[in-house]
Structures are given as structure tokens and as C-alpha cells.
Amino acid sequence: MPGPWVAPVISGYYERAEFPYDIVARMADLGLFGLPFPEEYGGMGGDHFALCVALEELARVDSSVAITLEAAVALGAMPIFRFGSAEQRGRWLPDLCAGSRLAAFGLTEPGGGSDIPGGMRTTADWWTGTG
């Protein structure tokens, strides 16, 4: 249950305009980032129901903490798990499941809003670090 370790400190992060790295580290220690992923990638072998229960409990205390977990798992790591190659899954999922890296999802940009097909002007290229 997150209440005892999130509720007493979360308002301080808002007041200081800081990202709650300590809370994210605690979620990682609990294995929350690996909840719906197989053990072969460092996950907990759980399912989406378990993830939803964890998200609901976190959201009872602070929705921004819950969405940090949800975005890292569902928008960041899950597409790699479902659609990535075996090489990509092996390279990225262990760190994402452990919470030692957070996956991100970019959706909007200034002037473009959420109109991905019509308004987005930014592009990204996959960089492998090999040159």
C-alpha cells in the first residue's frame, strides 16, 4: 500500500517543483515497473489486473505518481515488449522492468497539440549508439 510512503512526502515535491525520484526508486524496489512482464525480462510475471490494482492504489494518494508508473509501463515498455524485436526486448526490458531506466512517450509539441497526423512537425531517428 503506497499511502505510508507517498502521502507524507509528495506535497514537498510539488512545493519544490521536483520530480519524486525517491518515490520512483521505491516503486522500482517493489518491482512495480515489471509487474506485467515475464520473469525472463526481469518482470514479475503478473498481468494487467495486477498493474491496474497498483495504479489504483497509487492514484488514491497521488495521481501524478500513478501516471508515472502507468506511462513508463504502458506507453514506454509495453510497446517494446509487444512489438519490439527479440534483440530490443533483451536490450531494453530488463532495465525498464527493474525501474533503473524509465521509458517515455512523446505526444505533443508547441503549436501541434495532440494532432499527430496533421500538426506534428518533429521527427525522431532511432540512435543505436554505434555511430
Side-chain angles (χ1 to χ4, degrees):
M1 187 137 164
W5 51 272
V6 176
V9 298
I10 193 63
S11 65
Y13 289 99
Y14 288 119
E15 291 168 7
R16 295 185 303 272
E18 293 178 4
F19 184 78
Y21 290 103
D22 293 342
I23 293 172
V24 171
R26 179 73 185 266
M27 291 191 300
D29 290 344
L30 292 171
L32 297 182
F33 292 99
L35 261 174
F37 298 105
E39 293 177 14
E40 69 183 283
Y41 298 114
M44 295 184 72
D47 56 20
H48 286 91
F49 182 78
L51 176 63
C52 288
V53 169
L55 291 169
E56 183 176 345
E57 289 300 314
L58 286 166
R60 287 178 192 264
V61 179
D62 186 75
S63 60
S64 68
V65 171
I67 197 65
T68 298
L69 175 62
E70 192 280 332
V73 172
L75 297 175
M78 191 58 70
I80 296 169
F81 174 66
R82 294 198 58 210
F83 305 110
S85 66
E87 179 184 347
Q88 290 169 329
R89 287 191 297 269
R91 179 177 180 184
W92 297 108
L93 286 177
D95 286 344
L96 296 173
C97 288
S100 59
R101 289 182 185 247
L102 291 180
F105 176 80
L107 178 62
T108 62
E109 61 183 58
S114 297
D115 182 14
I116 293 173
M120 191 163 280
R121 293 176 302 276
T122 301
T123 60
D125 291 319
W126 183 258
W127 179 71
T128 63
T130 60

